[in-house]
Amino acid sequence: QGEMLIPELLDVIDERLAEQGERVASTRRDILSRLAPIAERIYGEIAQDRESVCLSYRSELNSTHFVDILAANRQKDMVMGFTTSGIHRDDIVFTMGDFPLRKYGSQGQQRSASLSLKLGEAEIIKDLKGEHPIILLDDVMSELDSTRQNYILNKMTNKQVFITCCEKETVSRLHAGKVFKLENGKVVD
């Protein structure tokens, strides 16, 4: 008798999951519609307009309702023991031309895309709150060429940015700001 209740219970659970999932996906689309042009512009600045990217939201929900996806995959999900499709599988995709950066981009291009996303988020936060957030960039220089490093070091003005790196020659190219040297977890001069 318990076996007979499982499909009915899953129908209710799937319906609730679909309602919330569609709300999350809709909110993500709204945020990305605001973030995409900013991140794409910042990527161009980082790359000194030598290359450009497009940012999009990839979701199964773009083509069908979540409840239909859950129903179509129920048997497979029961065998696997988890939900194999849905918003937890959605992704933000950077493309250059027709090619996804995650698969075909260099490490520097991928790092630039990630940075443009984070810096774009910071711009949106500034617009919403009226002040710049503190930006923390940990070990971002290692995969960037000198042109991209220069943008990170010297073009992000009027913001409070903390950048960690290990290369003295990179730090020597900083035009303004303050350098803190750490040894054994302590700031030294």
Side-chain angles (χ1 to χ4, degrees), residues 20-137:
Q20 297 305 312
E22 288 179 0
R23 280 185 48 212
V24 168
S26 176
T27 301
R28 286 175 177 168
R29 279 189 211 93
D30 291 345
I31 291 170
L32 196 62
S33 70
R34 185 172 182 182
L35 179 59
I38 298 169
E40 291 166 2
R41 174 185 51 79
I42 292 171
Y43 184 95
E45 291 171 1
I46 292 171
Q48 291 195 331
D49 294 321
R50 294 175 297 175
E51 54 199 44
S52 62
V53 295
C54 291
L55 182 59
S56 61
Y57 178 56
R58 194 198 74 211
S59 174
E60 291 176 293
L61 302 185
N62 290 341
S63 58
T64 188
H65 294 289
F66 192 11
V67 74
D68 296 332
I69 293 169
L70 292 169
N73 290 306
R74 181 174 288 172
Q75 292 304 313
K76 178 173 68 169
D77 291 352
M78 289 177 72
V79 169
M80 299 295 289
F82 60 91
T83 306
T84 58
S85 298
I87 60 163
H88 61 290
R89 307 288 249 180
D90 291 357
D91 201 3
I92 294 173
V93 178
F94 277 95
T95 55
M96 187 175 294
D98 294 329
F99 302 100
L101 225 50
R102 179 175 288 157
K103 186 172 183 179
Y104 296 103
S106 69
Q107 288 181 332
Q109 290 170 327
Q110 291 175 22
R111 180 65 58 107
S112 298
S114 177
L115 284 167
S116 69
L117 196 61
K118 294 299 177 195
L119 297 173
E121 290 170 355
E123 282 193 26
I124 290 174
I125 290 169
K126 194 263 183 209
D127 290 344
L128 292 172
K129 300 292 183 182
E131 62 185 7
H132 290 283
I134 296 171
I135 301 171
L136 306 172
L137 302 175

